Amino acid sequence: MAPSKYKELDSSLPIAPIVPTDTKDGNDRLIVRPSFVLHRVLTGNPVKVINTHGHCYSLETGQDILDASGGAAVACLGYHMVRVAKAMQEQALRVPYCLTSSFSTQATEDLADFLCRSTGGNMRHVWFTNSGSAAMEAAMKLAIQYHQEEDPKSTKTWFISRYASYHGNTMGALSVGGHAARREMYDGFVRHNPTQRISPCYSYRDRRSGESDGQYVARLADELERTIQDIGKDNVAAFVAEPVVGAALGAVAPVPGYFKAMETVCKSNQVLLILDEVMCGAGRIGPRPTDQFPNPLHAWQDPLIGIVPDIMTMGKGLGAGFSTVAAMLANVRVMDKILHGSGLHNHGHTYDNHPVETAGALEVCKIVQEKNLVANVRDTGALLGKLLKEKLGSHPHIGDVRGMGLLWGIELVKDKVTKERFEGNGKIAAGICKLGYTAPHSIQVYPGSGSTNSKQGDHIILAPAYTITVADAHQIASKTATLVSEYFSRLR
Ligand code: PLP
């Protein structure tokens, strides 16, 4: 058999917790292993988390790991929110499931109502799924349906997305995503889906010398316009982007005016704008209040983004890791078209709008609101960013420290001046993450990169819980700085 190109990355760094390498345990039970290659790279054989406390995992080995990334930017309330667990338990005891294509439940309606209100009435329809990928599939289907409702002969089925993007792992979401490494194996299938990618808004690497914000934005908007014209505006259904790019770039926010300019191009070509807020939404970037949105929750409500999407998706922090819920929301314009047309979104999975999941997410949303956690995200996030810049900004292998709220990315470079990337397609970031799992570091950071045809280097992401204190922010920044410094001093 030909050797797999996905063979594990070699590393001289030991993994702290050692577990057997065979596939059966002592009782001859099959050991469940993560199938996703990145997990193998990071952890070799998986170690069991047997308990949690505060913002920590307790491992079967006796080691505690401080979770500075909220898992995959998910656990926004830490691990002990009894209220959420109870809400889900109560729901499971009352109405654990019903045929959601025929019936509704109070929990699902209340969460939909909460989320529509949180958009200031801009969104009118919510569809709950069980993953961000499924929410993106629903969004893409709704975009195509919108154009079909307008004109049954519509040929608007193309999507324009950006290099260095990640929108999920299902086939449709992979097609629009720019993460080449995750797409590569399925390229024979997904490349037939009509998608064109354009440049991300990635100031650190892509802005030309001397180029102002306005000039950079105009260049990117022009690229979108030309791409629409090349494909033919009658063929383009939607432009898809993350307001703040998470996994694919490492917490990259746009330059001011970027989304306004992209929106203008979309509107003039009857192209819908889909914002993927699976990672950066639900309060994660600490959107700043405005007169229009005094209690913002969504990334697009922050003045830096400053637009109202036609369709948006949420996930991760919406359920905080308790509930495996995600959501697609559609604005009034899109929903009016459907309501005055067929009246039905032509979509659905068995467990969509599941009452136990929505009950959990509703409680998460209530806690975020009651405890004013988005403000805490802004304050502790600003502190965390400042500390990271102070401690790591001058390190010779740190190219950039960027982020918003409690979503921070640290880009790792071979050469700070030339911004040359490390070879190995994620090896450095994975190595740092792996070292973090060893004592005395015992900290979880989230590694990224892995896209072979886009231009980003390795990065690590920090996305701690919205509940962290000032002391937690100091601890996370210090531990991260020590971890990164030690990793690179070992490399020498
Ligand atoms: N969109 C973005 C921006 C994401 O970061 C992710 C996951 O990391 C997804 C979509 C897919 O979400 P899920 O893994 O829940 O399917």
Side-chain angles (χ1 to χ4, degrees):
M1 204 168 75
S4 166
K5 61 183 161 182
Y6 289 107
K7 66 178 185 296
E8 289 184 16
L9 299 178
D10 57 308
S11 165
S12 53
L13 294 169
I15 303 169
I18 306 293
V19 294
T21 53
D22 57 7
T23 51
K24 304 258 178 100
D25 70 6
N27 302 317
D28 222 29
R29 286 178 315 170
L30 207 62
I31 297 172
V32 180
R33 293 175 196 288
S35 57
F36 186 41
V37 67
L38 186 66
H39 290 208
R40 281 181 195 271
V41 170
L42 291 179
T43 59
N45 295 316
V47 175
K48 292 189 199 91
V49 177
I50 54 168
N51 217 330
T52 55
H53 58 94
H55 303 131
C56 294
Y57 302 152
S58 301
L59 305 183
E60 58 184 336
T61 54
Q63 190 188 4
D64 274 3
I65 303 278
L66 173 64
D67 181 9
S69 64
V74 170
C76 65
L77 298 180
Y79 290 101
H80 265 261
M81 275 300 158
V82 176
R83 273 177 61 179
V84 183
K86 277 199 170 147
M88 294 178 78
Q89 185 194 29
E90 277 166 22
Q91 184 64 46
L93 291 171
R94 218 173 30 249
V95 185
Y97 163 77
C98 64
L99 181 60
T100 50
S101 52
S102 299
F103 298 98
S104 160
T105 57
Q106 197 61 48
T108 301
E109 286 193 10
D110 287 351
L111 181 60
D113 183 65
F114 179 95
L115 290 179
C116 285
R117 282 176 200 276
S118 73
T119 69
N122 283 293
M123 301 286 157
R124 177 175 290 176
H125 171 77
V126 190
W127 187 258
F128 296 107
T129 65
N130 306 118
S131 71
S133 306
M136 285 305 297
E137 299 286 334
M140 292 167 66
K141 287 174 77 176
L142 187 65
I144 292 176
Q145 187 184 339
Y146 167 86
H147 295 296
Q148 298 277 329
E149 299 270 356
E150 190 155 72
D151 171 8
K153 292 204 177 72
S154 168
T155 52
K156 279 178 159 297
T157 53
W158 277 72
F159 290 90
I160 299 176
S161 57
R162 306 185 300 177
Y163 295 107
S165 58
Y166 180 61
H167 298 295
N169 247 336
T170 47
M171 289 298 197
L174 270 182
S175 312
V176 289
H179 203 292
R182 294 194 191 193
R183 229 187 30 239
E184 196 177 17
M185 187 182 280
Y186 314 100
D187 202 48
F189 182 86
V190 296
R191 80 184 125 108
H192 298 296
N193 294 341
T195 303
Q196 184 63 48
R197 274 168 280 279
I198 60 173
S199 306
C201 186
Y202 187 17
S203 196
Y204 170 65
R205 288 196 178 275
D206 288 354
R207 194 197 287 241
R208 292 175 187 155
S209 141
E211 198 172 39
S212 68
D213 280 356
Q215 288 164 332
Y216 183 35
V217 163
R219 180 157 65 85
L220 293 174
D222 184 54
E223 189 182 344
L224 176 60
E225 177 70 48
R226 279 187 289 110
T227 307
I228 293 174
Q229 299 314 326
D230 283 353
I231 300 168
K233 71 179 214 177
D234 291 342
N235 297 324
V236 183
F239 170 60
V240 183
E242 282 175 87
V244 177
V245 184
L249 277 187
V252 171
V255 301
Y258 170 77
F259 274 104
K260 199 80 214 152
M262 303 309 261
E263 181 192 49
T264 304
V265 174
C266 287
K267 283 209 163 122
S268 69
N269 289 290
Q270 293 80 49
V271 167
L272 296 183
L273 204 154
I274 300 175
L275 287 186
D276 176 350
E277 297 209 359
V278 169
M279 187 179 278
C280 67
R284 172 57 67 192
I285 64 153
R288 292 162 292 175
T290 57
D291 290 346
Q292 200 185 357
F293 305 114
N295 297 303
L297 184 70
H298 310 287
W300 55 264
Q301 292 171 320
D302 187 277
L304 181 64
I305 316 297
I307 59 159
V308 179
D310 293 302
I311 303 173
M312 66 173 285
T313 54
M314 310 175 70
K316 295 184 183 272
L318 179 62
F322 290 82
S323 155
T324 63
V325 77
M328 178 208 68
L329 285 76
N331 78 9
V332 175
R333 175 162 78 106
V334 171
M335 273 330 283
D336 276 355
K337 186 73 71 194
I338 310 287
L339 293 174
H340 298 138
S342 68
L344 282 177
H345 179 200
N346 187 18
H347 182 68
H349 296 273
T350 298
Y351 291 126
D352 285 351
N353 303 310
H354 192 279
V356 178
E357 307 302 333
T358 51
L362 180 63
E363 203 62 27
V364 170
C365 288
K366 284 182 184 166
I367 292 168
V368 169
Q369 191 180 49
E370 281 167 28
K371 295 186 184 289
N372 205 11
L373 289 180
V374 177
N376 192 54
V377 170
R378 280 195 296 275
D379 297 345
T380 51
L383 173 65
L384 180 62
K386 177 174 158 287
L387 294 170
L388 290 171
K389 284 179 184 169
E390 279 169 16
K391 289 175 192 294
L392 284 168
S394 58
H395 191 285
H397 291 303
I398 303 300
D400 196 22
V401 178
R402 71 275 176 130
M404 285 179 80
L406 282 172
L407 185 61
W408 283 89
I410 300 169
E411 183 155 340
L412 312 158
V413 289
K414 203 166 175 181
D415 186 313
K416 203 178 176 81
V417 178
T418 63
K419 302 182 183 175
E420 184 187 349
R421 296 162 191 84
F422 284 105
E423 292 101 33
N425 201 19
K427 183 171 177 169
I428 299 294
I432 290 176
C433 179
K434 192 169 161 183
L435 181 64
Y437 288 144
T438 65
H441 297 290
S442 300
I443 182 171
Q444 175 161 270
V445 298
Y446 193 56
S449 160
S451 182
T452 48
N453 75 351
S454 64
K455 298 189 254 170
Q456 82 271 24
D458 286 26
H459 63 258
I460 53 172
I461 290 179
L462 298 178
Y466 302 174
T467 44
I468 62 164
T469 61
V470 166
D472 295 330
H474 279 275
Q475 189 193 24
I476 290 169
S478 297
K479 273 179 157 290
T480 305
T482 308
L483 169 66
V484 170
S485 302
E486 187 185 319
Y487 178 81
F488 284 115
S489 64
R490 283 197 193 193
L491 263 194
R492 273 191 228 118

